[in-house]
Amino acid sequence: MVNFDYKQLLQKNINNKEKNVVNELYGSLLNGYINQDTIVTNDQFGPRLLNNQEGSSIWEQIKHELLTCENYTFAVAFITDSMVSNLKPIFKDLSRRGIKGRILTSTYLYFNQPAVFQELLKIPNIEVKIAEVDGFHQKGYIFQHQGYQTIIIGSANLTTNALMRNYEWSLRINSLDSGDIVDQVRSNVELEWKNASNLTNEWITSYSFTYKKNYKQSLQYQELDSENDTRIIKPNQMQKDALEQLRLLREKGKQRGLIISATGTGKTYLGAFDVKSTDPKKMLFLAHREQILEKSKESFSRIIGGKKTDYGLYTGNSRNKNAKYVFATVQTLSKSNHLSLFDRDEFDYILVDEVHHAGAETYQKIMNYFQPKFYLGMTATPDRNDDFNVFKLFNYNIAYEIRLPQALEEDMLCPFHYVGISDYTFKDNRVNEAIDSYNNEKGNHKNEQKIVEQLSSQERVKYILDQTRYYGYSGDVLHGLIFCSGVAESVSLAKELTRQGYPSKALSGNDSEVKRRSVVKNLEKGIIKYIVTVDIFNEGIDIPCINQVVFLRNTNSNIVYIQQLGRGLRKSKGKEYVEILDFIGNYKNNYIIPVALTDDSSYSKDNARATTSMEPTIGVSTIYFERVAKEKIFDSIRQAKFDSMRNLRTVYNEMKKRVGRVPLLQDFIKFNSIDPVILSNKEKNYANFLIKMGEQINISDYENKILSFLDVELLNGKRRHELILLDLLINNSEISMEKFDEALIVKGGFKLSFYSGLKMYDLGGLRIDRCQAI
């Protein structure tokens, strides 16, 4: 047995940080391999099993190690384009800091596609080699830190499935540079690295030839997303839940129901499934655009089946009144000469798509005329800036709500890879200031023409294209959508993009339906690379092939931002993800970006900062802000007045519309709205806030003081022992300290043993020796 005194290491000429590492490593070694009851002050260096289960993400650990290391080496057999896309912004930032990396991979089983190798060549400060050994199947990640190394080794390849989805086993271990395990791994990697081939364009050309010959063999090993048989479409779990809630609504005698579902989550299929289950005599599908109707008719036909003649359009160009399933435009059907052709009870099921438009006179005319057995309304954005209350229209019967993060977690949408990029900076700072002013004023500016020329200048467009080329897209052909600030800008950008080799077309609300369809078809066919738009494609347009969305304008509304983000979230064959590139300038509303990406309506600055700082993963969708872009967002958050009375009044009125009464504080939690603490703190307590909102609230001065006390002491919920005590007192008139202590252990995981020997307890300023309900 070797008698090793680790303290000898501490006598060496090393700095305090390295001495701390030695101490922590030694404690972690005892804790991880000898006795887990060893007292360790900080077990960050201990061995840890990573398996992609709750709180044990391989991807998050690798991301953390990359952002804190001095250099890194990956030895992995399989690599996918999707995971390379996730890593590109991190690798780019590491390169800016002078941190170098190496990737050793292989051609084993011809899993790695030539395009993946081509993408790896784009990444700066990374050297890539191809192992020549037969059967290379390694999965190891090595990170050099100051004085020690971290190794993650196990079953996970450099793929989205392995690092983020699958139930894997990977072990994270730490060792001093002189550790034997480090030496073993390092020696093995260095031997393979020495004998490996350099990744070059010539090598990729040669590999592409052999890859095509072996392509069929490689397919069985590819980690491609499996799609359901397109001939048989079945509801997913969330659609099943929604269908059940709709059934229960009708069972209770309700004649109207509202579905709130994030863009791209299959609202149309859900409606078709519900219509199929009710089997109406005749159904009306109502929408504001003919293009929506045509695609909806196809979807209903696939779900319900039957004869083609069962499905008909009633529009300006087609008048199929006698079909069993009628798909009508609001503009045509609302005209009296058309509406009068139908009996009031002709349809026993009416489905209104994009129902947030239903406040318009044309919608109201139709809905007031017909008397169906059931009205179903569907929308992704029920909270509008106008005075129309869609919740009231449907008698506050919210059958089901599917929010964006939930839909991403459930794999209902195509994952997104979001990168916040700092926008191009001109050498003349006066130009930058003018552009910022133009964007912050929503495009209204006296020097608009000059600013448009700068925004679409050769140097800025080149900068934009450099970023879009580096970050890329999923699939073989680019299908891009660019959002900018104004019509003139969109036209000028499209011309310059085309001139620089990326054929593009501008579209705005001024363009006809015929032109829109033509341009969309050209994008789908790959004839053009980008559609540059301003105020259309927020809703109702379905272009599943879009694999890159570019934001080149200020964000003024999280509703609009989510709508535009959603244009790329529809699943499509051959599309594993959509690349979202957000060019962030010095805009006062930048704080909306982290709020919108996480669908966070809490109005909490802490949440917005946390999203920007932590860059959370949602399902397998990733968020990353380049350093300068992150600083601009932080600056916007600092200056933003989240709790301005104007904002709070808007939020309050939206909730009142939703619930149809004066909202309770718990309503804001239930419906994922603002943090109730913000509302209550604004005027010392919620009752005062309600009075400010114009509500009739009658309370005495004493009651007002009690409410203010509860607001300060309990509402924020940060002192858990007080909330546990309050919960006990609700059901018990008197609680002994022994019972309180037991409850603290069970519910809070802690106890008040540090007060032993005292007869009086001081809990957050409330002194007690026996707790009584008052």
Side-chain angles (χ1 to χ4, degrees):
M1 179 176 180
V2 177
N3 184 15
F4 170 68
D5 184 359
Y6 85 100
K7 293 183 180 179
Q8 293 176 0
L9 286 172
L10 299 180
Q11 306 304 317
K12 293 186 175 182
N13 186 25
I14 56 178
N15 60 37
N16 288 332
K17 182 176 180 181
E18 289 171 322
K19 287 180 180 179
N20 290 335
V21 169
V22 172
N23 269 317
E24 295 295 343
L25 274 171
Y26 181 70
S28 297
L29 175 68
L30 293 178
N31 191 66
Y33 295 105
I34 309 298
N35 183 348
Q36 64 177 327
D37 294 328
T38 302
I39 297 176
V40 180
T41 57
N42 182 357
D43 194 26
Q44 64 172 317
F45 295 109
R48 185 183 178 198
L49 180 66
L50 305 171
N51 55 16
N52 289 333
Q53 301 304 293
E54 188 67 32
S56 185
S57 166
I58 304 173
W59 158 247
E60 292 296 341
Q61 189 66 50
I62 286 176
K63 182 180 173 183
H64 168 74
E65 300 297 341
L66 278 170
L67 294 173
T68 57
C69 73
E70 295 180 337
N71 60 68
Y72 55 94
T73 299
F74 293 175
V76 286
F78 299 157
I79 305 176
T80 59
D81 168 65
S82 179
M83 186 46 65
V84 172
S85 170
N86 280 326
L87 286 164
K88 277 181 180 178
I90 300 175
F91 286 154
K92 190 176 183 182
D93 272 355
L94 291 177
S95 176
R96 285 172 178 156
R97 290 159 46 197
I99 293 172
K100 296 183 178 181
R102 304 187 303 175
I103 296 178
L104 178 65
T105 186
S106 73
T107 59
Y108 183 51
L109 299 176
Y110 293 97
F111 176 94
N112 293 337
Q113 299 176 5
V116 170
F117 290 118
Q118 201 69 56
E119 292 303 307
L120 288 173
L121 275 184
K122 293 180 181 179
I123 302 171
N125 260 8
I126 286 186
E127 187 178 1
V128 182
K129 285 194 174 187
I130 314 300
E132 296 295 343
V133 63
D134 290 336
F136 182 93
H137 205 222
Q138 295 181 14
K139 299 118 180 169
Y141 305 85
I142 307 165
F143 306 92
Q144 178 67 57
H145 299 282
Q146 186 176 349
Y148 73 98
Q149 289 194 358
T150 300
I151 301 172
I152 298 174
I153 195 164
S155 64
N157 277 295
L158 196 62
T159 69
T160 299
N161 285 342
L163 298 188
M164 304 174 80
R165 277 196 180 111
N166 295 347
Y167 183 21
E168 303 276 350
W169 271 19
S170 285
L171 182 65
R172 184 206 68 180
I173 56 177
N174 291 282
S175 171
L176 296 176
D177 290 340
S178 56
D180 183 58
I181 184 63
V182 169
D183 189 58
Q184 290 183 51
V185 173
R186 185 163 48 202
S187 297
N188 188 279
V189 170
E190 293 305 324
L191 178 63
E192 297 302 337
W193 185 265
K194 180 180 178 181
N195 297 322
S197 301
N198 292 323
L199 179 65
T200 63
N201 283 314
E202 292 74 21
W203 184 92
I204 295 173
T205 301
S206 175
Y207 174 70
S208 298
F209 179 74
T210 55
Y211 176 83
K212 288 177 182 177
K213 288 170 54 178
N214 294 274
Y215 180 65
K216 289 183 179 179
Q217 175 192 346
S218 72
L219 283 179
Q220 61 183 305
Y221 302 105
Q222 295 288 353
E223 295 182 327
L224 299 176
D225 291 330
S226 60
E227 297 185 359
N228 292 330
D229 188 338
T230 55
R231 293 167 297 178
I232 304 173
I233 301 174
K234 296 180 180 179
N236 58 40
Q237 187 54 54
M238 295 184 78
Q239 287 171 332
K240 288 178 182 177
D241 293 341
L243 291 169
E244 175 62 14
Q245 292 304 311
L246 284 169
R247 186 190 67 78
L248 291 174
L249 264 185
R250 287 189 287 266
E251 195 174 87
K252 294 175 184 177
K254 307 294 184 182
Q255 295 180 316
R256 298 191 177 201
L258 182 64
I259 292 288
I260 303 170
S261 183
T263 301
T265 53
K267 293 192 297 293
T268 306
Y269 280 155
L270 172 58
F273 284 126
D274 195 53
V275 169
K276 183 178 182 179
S277 69
T278 56
D279 191 24
K281 255 187 333 181
K282 199 168 182 180
M283 181 217 75
L284 173 66
F285 186 104
L286 202 60
H288 66 293
R289 298 191 57 169
E290 190 169 343
Q291 190 175 1
I292 297 175
L293 295 179
E294 289 176 345
K295 296 202 172 186
S296 298
K297 183 168 73 74
E298 293 172 9
S299 297
F300 269 64
S301 177
R302 291 180 67 186
I303 297 298
I304 300 174
K307 298 176 291 184
K308 284 187 177 182
T309 53
D310 287 342
Y311 303 87
L313 293 175
Y314 198 89
T315 66
N317 300 314
S318 179
R319 308 287 167 76
N320 194 338
K321 173 184 178 296
N322 297 317
K324 181 177 181 179
Y325 306 106
V326 177
F327 296 79
T329 54
V330 176
Q331 294 87 335
T332 300
L333 190 58
S334 61
K335 294 176 180 177
S336 298
N337 59 322
H338 291 291
L339 200 55
S340 62
L341 297 176
F342 296 86
D343 294 332
R344 294 175 70 87
D345 62 352
E346 182 145 351
F347 302 102
D348 43 5
Y349 192 119
I350 296 180
L351 192 157
V352 186
D353 195 27
E354 308 290 359
V355 74
H356 50 270
H357 292 299
E361 184 180 346
T362 49
Y363 279 86
Q364 290 296 301
K365 185 176 180 180
I366 295 170
M367 294 185 72
N368 289 333
Y369 179 80
F370 287 116
Q371 297 177 341
K373 292 179 181 177
F374 190 70
Y375 259 119
L376 176 63
M378 298 194 301
T379 179
T381 53
D383 299 315
R384 309 298 294 174
N385 295 326
D386 53 32
D387 293 328
F388 175 65
N389 190 347
V390 68
F391 301 101
K392 182 179 180 181
L393 181 65
F394 283 83
N395 302 325
Y396 306 101
N397 296 324
I398 304 173
Y400 202 72
E401 184 167 4
I402 305 172
R403 303 182 72 85
L404 178 62
Q406 185 184 14
L408 289 166
E409 292 279 1
E410 295 291 332
D411 197 30
M412 299 178 71
L413 300 172
C414 177
F416 66 77
H417 296 172
Y418 171 93
V419 187
I421 305 167
S422 179
D423 204 346
Y424 182 73
T425 302
F426 291 88
K427 293 179 181 179
D428 187 344
N429 197 47
R430 291 173 299 180
V431 174
N432 297 316
E433 290 174 355
I435 290 173
D436 292 341
S437 173
Y438 167 76
N439 281 292
N440 283 320
E441 293 172 17
K442 301 181 182 179
N444 298 317
H445 201 280
K446 60 182 180 181
N447 295 320
E448 182 174 349
Q449 184 55 43
K450 289 183 179 179
I451 291 172
V452 166
E453 290 174 3
Q454 297 291 345
L455 289 173
S456 56
S457 62
Q458 180 179 343
E459 59 266 37
R460 183 178 185 244
V461 171
K462 180 181 182 302
Y463 173 79
I464 292 167
L465 288 175
D466 285 345
Q467 309 308 310
T468 61
R469 280 191 291 264
Y470 174 75
Y471 287 111
Y473 49 88
S474 176
D476 298 327
V477 179
L478 171 61
H479 304 284
L481 183 60
I482 297 177
F483 291 98
C484 63
S485 297
V487 175
E489 182 186 347
S490 69
V491 173
S492 190
L493 274 171
K495 287 181 180 178
E496 183 59 27
L497 285 165
T498 302
R499 195 190 70 77
Q500 293 195 32
Y502 285 76
S504 305
K505 290 289 183 181
L507 280 181
S508 73
N510 300 328
D511 293 309
S512 68
E513 187 72 29
V514 173
K515 182 178 179 180
R516 292 186 194 186
R517 290 187 185 186
S518 174
V519 170
V520 169
K521 280 188 178 180
N522 285 340
L523 183 74
E524 291 173 331
K525 293 177 180 178
I527 297 172
I528 61 174
K529 301 296 183 185
Y530 288 109
I531 293 176
V532 188
T533 186
V534 185
D535 53 2
I536 61 174
F537 297 152
N538 290 358
E539 61 183 29
I541 300 294
D542 188 6
I543 316 176
C545 67
I546 290 175
N547 50 17
Q548 190 186 83
V549 177
V550 180
F551 291 116
L552 296 176
R553 81 292 176 272
N554 186 17
T555 300
N556 291 308
S557 162
N558 60 332
I559 292 175
V560 172
Y561 191 91
I562 291 172
Q563 287 176 329
Q564 294 178 344
L565 178 73
R567 292 310 101 203
L569 297 184
R570 295 189 184 275
K571 291 188 173 185
S572 179
K573 188 175 182 180
K575 185 174 85 171
E576 294 183 54
Y577 61 91
V578 57
E579 194 73 28
I580 309 293
L581 303 178
D582 199 346
F583 289 78
I584 299 171
N586 295 315
Y587 310 142
K588 60 185 179 183
N589 290 331
N590 279 336
Y591 67 86
I592 290 176
I593 295 171
V595 168
L597 287 172
T598 54
D599 197 19
D600 176 24
S601 303
S602 68
Y603 277 72
S604 166
K605 284 194 174 186
D606 288 342
N607 287 358
R609 289 190 190 98
T611 296
T612 308
S613 178
M614 297 174 65
E615 302 163 328
T617 300
I618 309 171
V620 293
S621 294
T622 56
I623 298 170
Y624 193 88
F625 297 99
E626 292 186 356
R627 183 183 60 81
V628 177
K630 185 179 290 189
E631 290 172 357
K632 289 177 179 177
I633 293 175
F634 279 136
D635 187 56
S636 172
I637 294 171
R638 279 193 297 271
Q639 297 181 48
K641 294 183 179 180
F642 280 32
D643 65 344
S644 69
M645 190 55 74
R646 179 182 178 181
N647 283 342
L648 300 189
R649 187 179 297 277
T650 299
V651 173
Y652 176 79
N653 288 333
E654 286 175 354
M655 185 55 64
K656 190 174 181 181
K657 283 181 182 180
R658 180 180 282 252
V659 298
R661 53 172 167 74
V662 173
L664 305 174
L665 284 177
Q666 69 181 18
D667 290 326
F668 295 96
I669 296 175
K670 178 180 177 182
F671 293 106
N672 297 296
S673 186
I674 194 171
D675 183 348
V677 176
I678 296 175
L679 296 179
S680 195
N681 285 349
K682 187 66 176 177
E683 298 293 327
K684 294 188 177 179
N685 64 58
Y686 188 49
N688 288 338
F689 177 80
L690 292 176
I691 294 171
K692 195 78 173 179
M693 293 296 103
E695 307 293 356
Q696 297 298 315
I697 305 295
N698 297 313
I699 59 172
S700 68
D701 182 60
Y702 174 74
E703 289 169 333
N704 195 297
K705 289 179 179 178
I706 291 294
L707 286 174
S708 296
F709 168 78
L710 292 173
D711 175 77
V712 172
E713 293 293 331
L714 301 177
L715 187 60
N716 58 22
K718 291 177 181 176
R719 290 179 288 208
R720 295 167 64 198
H721 56 272
E722 293 177 341
L723 298 180
I724 293 170
L725 174 58
L726 183 61
D727 185 48
L728 290 171
L729 289 173
I730 287 173
N731 298 308
N732 301 275
S733 61
E734 185 175 300
I735 296 294
S736 69
M737 287 310 306
E738 289 77 14
K739 291 289 186 183
F740 185 29
D741 209 44
E742 289 177 11
L744 290 175
I745 295 170
V746 173
K747 297 184 178 183
F750 59 94
K751 58 182 180 180
L752 299 177
S753 57
F754 50 88
Y755 288 118
S756 61
L758 298 178
K759 291 184 179 180
M760 298 290 287
Y761 294 78
D762 190 342
L763 306 180
L766 180 64
R767 293 180 62 81
I768 55 174
D769 60 351
R770 182 170 292 276
C771 306
Q772 293 182 330
I774 300 175

